[in-house]
Amino acid sequence: MTVSHVEIRSGAYADSVTLLQVSREVAGAPGVTAAQVAMATPLNLEVLERMGFEIPPCSPNDMVVALSLESEDHLSSALAAVATALSATSRRSEAGEAVVPPRTTRSALARAGADLALVSVPGANAAVEAMDALDAGHDVMVFSDNVPVEQEVALKRIAADRDLLVMGPDCGTAMVGGLGLGFANVVEPGAVGIVAASGTGCQQLMCLLSAAGVGVGAALGVGGRDLSTAVGGLSTRQALRRLDADPAIERIVVVSKPPAPEVARALEEYAATLATPVDFALLGQGQPDLTNATEKVLSTLGRPVPTWPTWGTVTRTARPGYLRGFFVGGTLCDEAMLLAAERLGPIRSNIPLSAELALDESMTADAHLMIDFGDDGMTQGRAHPMIDPTLRLEHLARAATDPSTSVVLLDVVLGHGAESDPAAGLAPAIAALDVPVVVACVGTEHDPQILSTQAAALAEAGAEVHLSNARAAARAVALVEEATR
Amino acid sequence: MTATTPPAAVASVGADLFAGAIEAQAVTVERVDWRPPMDGTADDLATVATDPLRRDANRRAVEAMLAVQGNLVDVAPASEVLGLEPGQFLHAGPPIAWDRTSGPLQGALLGAAALEGLVGDPEDARALFESGSSVSLDPCHHHSAVGPMAGVVSPSMWMFVIEDSESGRRTYCSLNEGLGKVLRYGAYSPEVLERLRWMSAVLGPLLRDAVRSTGPVDVTGILTQMLQMGDEAHNRNRAGTLMLLRDLAPAMVDVGHAAKDVAESLRFIGGNDHFFLNLAMPACKLALDAARDIEGSTMVVAMARNGTDFGIQVSGTGDAWFTGPAQLADGLFLGDYGPDDANPDIGDSAITETAGIGGFSMATAPAIVRFVGGSVPDALATTRRMHEITLAKNPRWTIPVLEFEGAPTGIDVSAVCRTGILPQINTGMAGKLAGVGQVGAGLVTPPAEIFPKALAALAHRVRSRA
C-alpha cells in the first residue's frame, strides 16, 4: 500500500528541464515509488492526475511536489531528497551577499555587455523577453515554441524596422560565428551560410555538408513558421540580407519545412536580387529531399558527393504490417513522410501532410504512422524530446508489443543541447524490438556525443544507422514493401 | 554584428541546459533568474511589449523627467497659490470619500477644519464631513501638490512653491511640522493646532521673505548632494535639511523679522530632520509630472496612499488611478506601540520612490536600514533589486557605495508584472485611531494587484490603437 504526498509550493520556480532532472533524482530515492516535481501547468496537472495524484487547486505559477511512497516513514527522507535536488540545480549566490541576479533579459544583456539573447522560456512569455533584446539593439534567438503567431509577426516587424534578426520562435538550431545555439552540431567553419526555417533540417544539412568536407560559416534559424502565409518570410529576408552582406559567406542555402507557395516564390524573387547565390531546399511533394538538396549544393560548389555513411545492417525480418516512425525532429519527420507516402500511401501523423491524416489523442492507428515528438502539441509543459526521451521510449515500448508493427524508423539528433548519450536510452528499446529498426543519426565527429560512438552503439543494439534521414526513410520503406509483397 | 562573428556574450533566459551548452563553447553567458510573471498578465505583457510606441515613449518619459530642474521659488498660503476656499481640503493619495477614510486622515481633516475656524472643537467637524455639504475633499495630486502622510492641506496653510526653470511648471507642498504628535499623522490636539498657527503666522512669512530675498534654491541640486551624504530623502533628510538651512539662514536673519521669531524658526527647522522632505516631495512630483501623458509609456508617474487605498498613475494612461488596499508597513514602533496600533500605509511621500530615491536609493542610507531589522547588504540589495523594475539610472542622483551608479529611475509597470518585484517604499507609520499621531516607521510595498490593473489598461489602449 503506497502513500501519496502532494504539496503546492507557491512562489517556487524552476524550468521544466531542471524539474525533470529533479523528479528523476527524487524518484530514485529510497522508499519512493514515483515522484513528480513540476510547475502546475494544465499539461503537468494532467500528467500528475494520470499518475494517480490528487492535486488541490493551484495556479500555473505554483510548483507541485507529488510523491508516492512505500510508507509514511519515507516522507521526511523523500522531502530531503527534493530539497537536495532542487538546491543542487540552483545557481543563486551565497546568502548575505548583496548581489541580485538579473530577472529580465534586459537586465542580463546590460550586465554582461551581451550582444545576443537566447530565449527558451514558455511560449506565452517569450515575446516579452525577446523584445528586451530588440529594444537593446541586439539579435535574439527564440527557442520557445507555442508563441502566438501574432506575437511572432509583431516581433519580426519591429526587428525588420531596426535591422535586427529574430531567430525563431520555435528555432531549435542556430550557429553564429561558430557559436552553436540551442541544438547545434559542431562543424568546421566555411563559406556556406544557411537560413533555416527548420531546426533539424538545418542540422541534417550541416552534418551532411560536414561529412562531405564542406564547412558552414553561419546558420541563421528563422523559426518553423517563418515561411507561412501569416509570417511571410520576415526573418528569412532579414537573414538573407545579413548573410549577403557578410564577405565570409559565398553561398547561401535556405532550408525549410513545406513553405506557403507564395512566400517561397517571393523569397526566390528576393534572393535573385542578392549578390550571393542562393539555393533553396524547401521540402514538399515532388521537391528534392534534404540529401538530394545537399548533393546539389556540393555539385554547384564543385565538390564530390561522398557515399553517405551507414553503420550496421538490418538482420531482423520485417513482417507484414505498418511502418512506425518516431521522430524528435519535425523536419526529419516531414521528410520521411514525404518519401514514404509516395510509395506506401497515406501516413497518419500528428503533423500530417494533409488534415484528414491527423492522429487522434491516442497517437495510434492501424496504419502507417509517424509521430513528431518535438511538435508544439507534444511539448507543452514538458521538455523537448531531444532532452527528455521518456515519451518516445513509451511509444517504442508500445510498438514492440504491437503485432502490426512492420518496421520502426527513428531519428537521433546529436550536438550541443541534446541528451548527452541518447543511444544509452534507445539501445535497450531497440534490442527489445523483434522487427527491423532503421535510424537516422544526425551528428558529426566533433559533437559532444561523437557521431561514430552513438551510431556504433545503436548498430550494436540491432539498428541500421544512416547519416542521411532520406536514406534511412527510403530503407525503412523498402523493408515494409518487401514484407508486404 | 555579422553572422560570422561570434557574440561577445550571450544573455540566456529559460532552460539552463542551453546556457551550459554556450559556456561549454567558451562564450560568456549571463543567466536570467527568470520566474513566471504575475498571474494572468502574460497576454497583456506581450501586447504591451510589442507596442511599437513603447520604447520611444518610455525613453521620452525618462528624458523629460530627468531634464527637470526644481527650484524653491516662493512660500505662500494655499489660498493664494492653489486658490483653496474655506471648506476645501486636499489630502494624500487617490480620491476618497469621507466614509472610507482611515483614522489618521480623519484626524488630520478634523484638525484642519478647526485650524480654519470652521468649528471650535475638532470633534465637531465630524458632522461637517459626514454631511459633506459645506466641505469638499480632493487629492493633492489633482492640484499639482503632494502631502506627506495624511497630506491634508487647507487654505491657511503655507506651501513651498517649486518651479521648473525651463517650463515654468510649478508644484506645491505644505511645510513640515516635525515628528510625533503632528497633524499629518492624524493628531489634532491643541498643541498640534498651536504649532500650525505659529507656522502660518511666523515661519511661513519668514521663509517667503527669505526665499524671495535670496533667490531660487536649487532643490534638485540639494537632492544630488544629500544622496552623497547618507540621506535617501524619504525617511532620512538630515543632510538636506541642514543644507537648506545653510542656504536660507543668512536671508532669514537679514529680512527684518523679529530676532526671536528668526531664532525660533531656525531652531524649528534645525530640530526637524524631516523638514526637507516637504521640498524633496514636490521636486520629485515636478520631475515626474513632466513624464505624464505620453501615449505608450509604461512608466509610473505617481504612487500615493490615502490610508485606505494605494494608487498609482501611469504615463500612458492619463489621469486614471489604479488602486488596491494600502498595506501595513513592517518596521519599528515608537514606545509601546505595536503592529495593532498602526494604520495601513498613507501619504504622497512615495513620490520619492517613484522618482528613484527613498526606498529605491536605500543603499545610500545604511544608517536607517535598522528600521526593519535589516542589514547594510539588505540595503545594497534593495537598490540593486529596484534596478530590475526601472527604466533608467539617474545620472545626477548617484550612489557612492554602488560605484556612483545612478538611482533606479522610472518604475516600469511591465517590469513589475514580469518580475513580481514590488517597489520598496520607506515610510512612517500613523496610528490607526484619529488623534494618535506617529507610531513607528518602516518599509512597505504597494498591493501587487494594482500593477496588473495598470498593465491591462495599457494593453487595452494598445489594442484599441491597432
Side-chain angles (χ1 to χ4, degrees):
Chain A
M1 188 63 200
T2 59
V3 183
S4 274
H5 173 84
V6 175
E7 62 181 70
I8 306 293
R9 298 185 177 180
S10 295
Y13 178 79
D15 71 70
S16 59
V17 182
T18 298
L19 289 177
L20 198 84
Q21 290 166 349
V22 169
S23 300
R24 267 195 206 156
E25 272 169 49
V26 175
V32 178
T33 55
Q36 187 79 357
V37 182
M39 299 307 292
T41 60
L43 205 98
N44 283 337
L45 291 179
E46 242 182 78
V47 171
L48 284 160
E49 269 159 36
R50 240 184 292 135
M51 291 171 77
F53 291 109
E54 275 179 44
I55 312 294
C58 49
S59 98
N61 292 354
D62 295 330
M63 187 187 286
V64 182
V65 176
L67 305 170
S68 179
L69 304 163
E70 284 167 12
S71 77
E72 197 71 48
D73 305 341
H74 296 286
L75 180 59
S76 63
S77 65
L79 286 176
V82 173
T84 309
L86 280 173
S87 67
T89 64
S90 160
R91 293 178 168 273
R92 297 291 137 65
S93 60
E94 297 300 306
E97 260 185 63
V99 174
V100 174
R103 295 288 306 280
T104 60
T105 302
R106 169 180 170 271
S107 172
L109 283 164
R111 289 194 202 192
D115 49 5
L116 182 70
L118 170 52
V119 176
S120 55
V121 296
N125 311 114
V128 175
E129 301 300 325
M131 270 311 299
D132 277 1
L134 300 181
D135 281 353
H138 302 306
D139 295 338
V140 59
M141 165 160 168
V142 184
F143 178 87
S144 320
D145 53 14
N146 292 306
V147 175
V149 71
E150 65 277 9
Q151 292 177 18
E152 173 173 353
V153 172
L155 279 174
K156 288 180 171 178
R157 287 215 177 114
I158 290 170
D161 282 349
R162 300 176 187 173
D163 196 21
L164 295 171
L165 182 62
V166 177
M167 296 184 271
D170 196 13
C171 174
T173 300
M175 194 266 275
V176 179
L179 176 68
L181 297 162
F183 300 120
N185 301 97
V186 183
V187 300
E188 299 288 334
V192 173
I194 298 175
V195 180
S198 143
T200 47
C202 178
Q203 289 186 273
Q204 170 80 94
L205 196 64
M206 287 172 84
C207 292
L208 289 173
L209 287 170
S210 175
V214 171
V216 173
L220 305 179
V222 294
R225 283 190 307 224
D226 196 64
L227 275 68
S228 66
T229 307
V231 185
L234 283 166
S235 278
T236 301
R237 244 165 229 271
Q238 191 65 16
L240 282 170
R241 194 174 307 146
R242 196 65 76 79
L243 290 174
D244 187 40
D246 197 317
I249 298 296
E250 291 164 17
R251 186 149 209 106
I252 300 171
V253 186
V254 178
V255 55
S256 173
K257 298 177 194 184
E262 78 279 8
V263 176
R265 254 195 316 277
L267 286 171
E268 279 163 350
E269 280 167 25
Y270 175 68
T273 67
L274 301 177
T276 315
V278 181
D279 294 315
F280 283 84
L282 308 177
L283 284 182
Q285 258 139 0
Q287 298 293 316
D289 60 50
L290 292 171
T291 304
N292 289 336
T294 308
E295 290 169 352
K296 187 172 152 252
V297 172
L298 288 172
S299 67
T300 59
L301 289 168
R303 304 291 289 260
V305 175
T307 306
W308 301 117
T310 62
W311 295 261
T313 185
V314 166
T315 54
R316 298 171 190 161
T317 313
R319 56 188 177 229
Y322 302 118
L323 175 59
R324 308 279 186 219
F326 300 128
F327 289 85
V328 298
T331 303
L332 302 178
C333 184
D334 263 334
E335 185 183 44
M337 284 197 292
L338 285 163
L339 276 160
E342 272 181 30
R343 282 156 58 185
L344 298 179
I347 312 285
R348 304 288 301 277
S349 176
N350 62 328
I351 54 162
L353 294 174
S354 54
E356 77 279 6
L357 297 175
L359 287 169
D360 63 22
E361 279 172 15
S362 73
M363 289 286 156
T364 55
D366 285 328
H368 303 298
L369 71 85
M370 296 199 192
I371 300 175
D372 170 19
F373 290 94
D375 182 57
D376 278 16
M378 309 285 275
T379 59
Q380 272 188 6
R382 75 159 66 85
H384 195 278
M386 280 189 219
I387 304 166
D388 174 12
T390 320
L391 204 56
R392 183 161 78 158
L393 289 173
E394 278 173 29
H395 279 257
L396 261 179
R398 214 184 293 165
T401 62
D402 179 354
S404 73
T405 302
S406 173
V407 174
V408 170
L409 175 62
L410 304 172
D411 64 351
V412 172
V413 182
L414 309 180
H416 285 297
E419 264 191 280
S420 60
D421 186 4
L426 275 174
I430 290 169
L433 284 155
D434 60 355
V435 295
V437 178
V438 186
V439 179
C441 188
V442 176
T444 72
E445 288 303 290
H446 304 298
D447 283 337
Q449 303 89 344
I450 309 174
L451 172 63
S452 56
T453 306
Q454 291 291 315
L458 295 165
E460 178 75 15
E464 179 177 313
V465 183
H466 293 249
L467 177 63
S468 157
N469 182 60
R471 298 292 155 85
R475 173 72 165 138
V477 167
L479 287 165
V480 175
E481 282 177 331
E482 272 170 40
T484 313
R485 199 174 295 141
Chain B
M1 194 166 93
T2 73
T4 49
T5 39
V10 178
S12 175
V13 58
D16 194 58
L17 173 85
F18 295 128
I22 294 169
E23 276 175 341
Q25 298 172 75
V27 170
T28 304
V29 176
E30 183 75 39
R31 289 173 167 84
V32 178
D33 180 18
W34 188 85
R35 320 281 176 83
M38 288 182 176
D39 276 349
T41 60
D43 284 349
D44 289 342
L45 280 171
T47 300
V48 170
T50 51
D51 175 8
L53 297 186
R54 180 187 43 83
R55 182 174 70 160
D56 288 341
N58 279 339
R59 183 156 52 205
R60 280 194 288 140
V62 167
E63 280 171 7
M65 175 193 166
L66 293 177
V68 171
Q69 168 79 42
N71 291 307
L72 170 62
V73 294
D74 203 359
V75 184
S79 55
E80 268 177 42
V81 289
L82 296 177
L84 286 194
E85 305 278 344
Q88 281 189 302
F89 296 89
L90 305 187
H91 62 81
I96 190 165
W98 170 262
D99 60 356
R100 292 185 66 245
T101 50
S102 62
L105 179 49
Q106 290 191 356
L109 287 167
L110 299 180
L115 180 72
E116 297 301 324
L118 301 183
V119 288
D121 181 343
E123 286 296 341
D124 294 340
R126 280 185 193 279
L128 275 185
F129 288 106
E130 273 160 20
S131 80
S133 52
S134 59
V135 293
S136 68
L137 301 184
D138 214 18
C140 290
H141 266 292
H142 293 187
H143 296 264
S144 300
V146 273
M149 302 308 289
V152 167
V153 177
S154 59
S156 72
M157 291 183 190
W158 284 60
M159 310 293 282
F160 287 124
V161 181
I162 312 290
E163 186 180 273
D164 176 27
S165 40
E166 192 71 23
S167 64
R169 279 187 311 106
R170 291 181 161 197
T171 54
Y172 310 90
C173 186
S174 58
L175 312 184
N176 193 293
E177 317 157 70
L179 288 175
K181 272 206 182 304
V182 286
L183 188 81
R184 72 177 188 282
Y185 279 93
Y188 52 83
S189 56
E191 76 209 76
V192 173
L193 299 185
E194 195 178 321
R195 187 189 305 113
L196 287 169
R197 288 194 184 98
W198 172 81
M199 287 170 72
S200 292
V202 175
L203 182 65
L206 174 58
L207 287 173
R208 172 195 61 202
D209 294 347
V211 168
R212 287 182 180 178
S213 140
T214 204
V217 177
D218 178 359
V219 175
T220 307
I222 291 179
L223 281 164
T224 303
Q225 295 183 55
M226 290 166 69
L227 292 172
Q228 314 272 313
M229 299 165 77
D231 282 356
E232 40 68 278
H234 188 171
N235 262 4
R236 192 176 201 272
N237 286 284
R238 182 169 291 183
T241 299
L242 294 175
M243 276 187 282
L244 177 76
L245 204 56
R246 176 196 64 185
D247 286 356
L248 289 183
M252 285 169 75
V253 172
D254 221 25
V255 288
H257 287 238
K260 179 175 76 65
D261 289 345
V262 174
E264 204 175 348
S265 296
L266 290 172
R267 205 176 294 121
F268 179 81
I269 296 171
N272 173 8
D273 284 343
H274 280 295
F275 195 73
F276 191 81
L277 174 63
N278 293 36
L279 287 159
M281 285 173 53
C284 289
K285 177 165 175 64
L286 190 68
L288 287 157
D289 279 357
R292 279 180 182 264
D293 298 321
I294 298 176
E295 186 67 28
S297 172
T298 58
M299 189 175 124
V300 176
V301 293
M303 294 197 289
R305 317 86 98 195
N306 57 32
T308 305
D309 309 310
F310 190 119
I312 57 170
Q313 291 179 306
V314 178
S315 175
T317 54
D319 293 332
W321 287 97
F322 304 97
T323 61
Q327 309 290 296
L328 282 167
D330 181 11
L332 291 186
F333 292 89
L334 304 175
D336 54 2
Y337 288 121
D340 291 344
D341 301 312
N343 191 74
D345 196 18
I346 185 167
D348 286 334
S349 56
I351 197 74
T352 56
E353 279 82 10
T354 320
I357 51 181
F360 279 47
S361 288
M362 197 66 175
T364 212
I368 57 166
V369 296
R370 296 200 173 149
F371 269 133
V372 280
S375 64
V376 172
D378 292 339
L380 302 183
T382 296
T383 294
R384 290 191 168 127
R385 198 164 61 245
M386 293 305 106
H387 279 294
E388 297 297 311
I389 56 166
T390 47
L391 293 164
K393 299 172 200 278
N394 190 318
R396 256 193 306 211
W397 293 347
T398 65
I399 297 176
V401 73
L402 295 181
E403 297 285 357
F404 296 92
E405 186 174 37
T409 301
I411 300 166
D412 179 2
V413 169
S414 290
V416 173
C417 293
R418 285 169 70 179
T419 62
I421 297 173
L422 294 172
Q424 182 69 67
I425 295 163
N426 291 349
T427 193
M429 275 187 268
K432 70 180 170 195
L433 298 178
V436 169
Q438 184 175 16
V439 298
L443 301 187
V444 72
T445 58
E449 68 260 35
I450 60 180
F451 292 93
K453 281 185 192 172
L455 180 76
L458 286 162
H460 177 73
R461 286 173 87 111
V462 177
R463 291 185 194 112
S464 48
R465 236 191 286 127

